[in-house]
Structures are given as structure tokens and as C-alpha cells.
Amino acid sequence: VVVVADPLPETVLGPLLGHDVRFCDGSDPSALKEALGDAHALLVRSSTQVDRSVLAEAPYLRIIARAGVGLDNIDVEAATQAGVLVANAPRSNVLSVAEMTVGSMITGLRNLLPANAALRSGRWDRGRYQGRELSRSTVGLVGLGHVGTLVAQLLRPFAVRLLVHDPFVSVHHAASVGAQLVDLDELLAQSDVVSVHVPRTPQTKGLIGERELRLAKPSLLLVNTARGGIVDEGALNAALKEKSIGGAVIDVFEIEPAIGNPLIDHASVLATPHLGAGTREAQERAGREAVTAVLQALAGHPVPTAVNPPASHP
Ligand code: 3PG
């Protein structure tokens, strides 16, 4: 029994033929628990929260396959203790997220969305929406993993001055993408654009808060296509309100769906509903990789994309 709890492209489910594939709305915890009663595998994206209480209702579960990268919606430690493999698709949507990040930098710097809204409401206001060039600006990347590295590479033709903060990478790796490694305070103080590319973990939650935002230039464009909560939402809301930073691109929120989140209402914010991986190509890659992991686990084969070594298999 394979439970699909988040929307996946139909095209990727073909190889599951012969298994009992069931669909449920993973954002509803009771529907999820009910569906998992006799399930051997669970396929999710980021809307399904898999915590200890969910695992307790899934006695036959062998694998949770995440059709995407982030694992903050899955209690990996609890899964390990329950003997359940967790696998993700670590590179599947990197290109889509990186492309959207660079595109949204330009969209934000050029005020394209407010200008579009003004034009739709009948105002031809060329002077009001003067923007800034990305080229030759200083861009700070918080995190130089798969996405951060690709963003750095895509920024090459813009000849930006690239700063990186990442305690886990070497000076050599930073230099290989033309970046200088600096501490977070220096990155915030010097950058025209700051883009966040770290996972949400207890260590990164609130990484950019009130103190950090106070270090930024008043013209800063802050981009977050990584995870909500890494930039403290209350502090960001205050900074936008008092215009101590220039604006923000926000694709991810601490609580999603983020309906009613006050960040969305700022004129200087380009807000989108967690669309970084929202391309046909990324969804097909992620879905295919996750389905492959399910088939490997159900066949008792090694799962190369597993992120945990479960203590025991039921
Ligand atoms: C990820 O972590 O892979 C991205 O944020 C995409 O999440 P999604 O699969 O829910 O779109």
C-alpha cells in the first residue's frame, strides 16, 4: 500500500503499477493517520507534516519519500526510531529554485509588480518605479549548498560582487564560484541584495532577526526562497513598516498557507505561495526520484537517497 499525500504529477506514478496506490490530503492530520493504518510507503511534498503522532499510526510503514528537498516537515529522528527510512530528492528542484531566485531579484529591484498593478489600475507612472540594476551590485548569499551554489553560478554574467556566509563551506569552494566568505554581520552590512539558501533547522530558525536587519542598508532587497522562519517574520514586518530596508521577495512563510500574513500586504514585498519548485520539470524529477526510492525500499534494496539509517526495519 502506497499513500500519496501531496499532489504529484500523474506521469511519475506509472512505475507503482501493481501496488495499491491511495491518495489522501496530507495537510489534514486525521485523514493522513487514517490512510497510514495499513500503508507500507508514504509519498509527500512539504504540506504533509509527519511527526511522531503520525508515525504512531503507521505500524507497517517502511519508507517516507519526500518528492523535493526540504525535510523540515518530517521528524526524521522519530522515523529513525520507528525503523522507517526517509528519502528525499536532493537535487530535483535546485535549478527551478535558483532560476526563480535570480528572476525575482530583478523583478524586485525593478519594481515590476507594483508597476504592473499601477498600470492595471490606470496609472502610467514611469517615474515612480525607477529601479536599480542587479549588475555590479553586491549580492550576499546565506548558504552555499546546492541552490546557493547554482544561484552564484547563474549570477556570473551580472558581474556582481558576491559575498557568502556559510559555516560549512571552505574558502576554496566559495572562491570556485567567485564568492568571498564573510560572517553574517558583514554580509548584511555590505549587500544590496541578500538571498537565503539554508534549510530550516533549530540552528537556522530566526537566523536573520531584528539585530541582523538593523545592520542592513536601507535599500536592501531581502530574498527568501528557502524556508519561512529563517528570517524572523515579526522583525521583517517591522523593518518593512519603518522602511529600514528597501523590500523583500518572500516565497516561503513560517506557517503555510500564509493567508492573512501581514508580510504579504507591504507594497515593497513580492510575495508568492511557495513556488520555488513549482515547475513541470522539477515536479517530474522530484516525483520520479521519490517513486524510485519507494520501489527500492519495498523491494528490500538499498535506497541511495535515504537520509537516515533506521535502527530496525519492521
Ligand atoms: C523543497 O524543499 O523541495 C521545496 O521547498 C519545494 O517544496 P514543495 O515540494 O512543497 O513544493
Side-chain angles (χ1 to χ4, degrees):
V1 174
V2 179
V3 170
V4 181
D6 276 311
L8 294 180
E10 256 176 48
T11 46
V12 306
L13 300 176
L16 291 171
L17 195 76
H19 294 274
D20 183 352
V21 180
R22 301 176 190 170
F23 298 87
C24 82
D25 175 6
S27 65
D28 174 352
S30 47
L32 179 65
K33 286 176 184 170
E34 200 183 317
L36 288 179
D38 53 359
H40 303 99
L42 171 64
L43 278 155
V44 298
R45 285 176 61 189
S46 63
S47 305
T48 301
Q49 300 295 321
V50 188
D51 59 17
R52 211 171 273 280
S53 75
V54 168
L55 287 160
E57 304 292 325
Y60 305 106
L61 197 62
R62 287 191 228 161
I63 180 163
I64 303 164
R66 161 65 163 116
V69 180
L71 289 164
D72 49 306
N73 56 319
I74 299 168
D75 186 337
V76 178
E77 198 183 314
T80 306
Q81 284 163 9
V84 176
L85 273 176
V86 178
N88 68 350
R91 287 177 185 266
S92 56
N93 54 37
V94 168
L95 183 56
S96 292
V97 179
E99 280 186 356
M100 191 173 103
T101 301
V102 175
S104 67
M105 285 177 186
I106 297 173
T107 308
L109 288 171
R110 298 301 299 272
N111 304 311
L112 297 184
L113 287 185
N116 176 258
L119 186 53
R120 282 204 172 140
S121 63
R123 295 197 312 279
W124 183 266
D125 216 349
R126 296 179 70 202
R128 185 160 179 193
Y129 298 108
Q130 176 173 291
R132 287 172 292 148
E133 288 180 346
L134 176 61
S135 294
R136 282 173 293 280
S137 65
T138 298
V139 177
L141 302 179
V142 180
L144 197 62
H146 294 323
V147 179
T149 299
L150 192 52
V151 169
Q153 287 163 346
L154 294 180
L155 286 174
R156 274 231 160 107
F158 296 92
V160 298
R161 176 173 170 241
L162 204 55
L163 304 178
V164 162
H165 171 68
D166 189 329
F168 299 103
V169 308
S170 63
V171 174
H172 178 73
H173 176 54
S176 74
V177 293
Q180 183 192 345
L181 266 186
V182 294
D183 65 31
L184 184 60
D185 287 4
E186 190 179 342
L187 180 144
L188 281 157
Q190 295 198 18
S191 298
D192 301 300
V193 178
V194 167
S195 193
V196 179
H197 300 291
V198 292
R200 181 168 60 200
T201 65
Q203 291 74 33
T204 62
K205 195 165 183 293
L207 185 68
I208 299 179
E210 189 189 337
R211 190 193 72 80
E212 289 73 23
L213 288 171
R214 291 216 179 281
L215 301 170
K217 291 182 182 180
S219 57
L220 173 73
L221 177 70
L222 180 63
V223 180
N224 187 359
T225 54
R227 271 298 178 276
I230 296 164
V231 180
D232 181 274
E233 290 191 348
L236 179 57
N237 196 31
L240 291 162
K241 224 185 224 165
E242 60 198 43
K243 297 193 175 16
S244 65
I245 67 168
V249 172
I250 312 170
D251 185 47
V252 283
F253 297 84
E254 188 145 11
I255 297 172
E256 297 178 359
I259 304 300
N261 188 313
L263 288 171
I264 296 167
D265 296 329
H266 290 280
S268 58
V269 166
L270 189 180
T272 43
H274 199 148
L275 288 183
T279 63
R280 193 179 58 217
E281 293 85 351
Q283 286 312 308
E284 282 181 358
R285 281 193 295 266
R288 268 200 309 270
E289 284 178 39
V291 165
T292 300
V294 164
L295 292 172
Q296 287 163 336
L298 295 184
H301 295 149
V303 180
T305 51
V307 299
N308 65 338
S312 61
H313 286 274

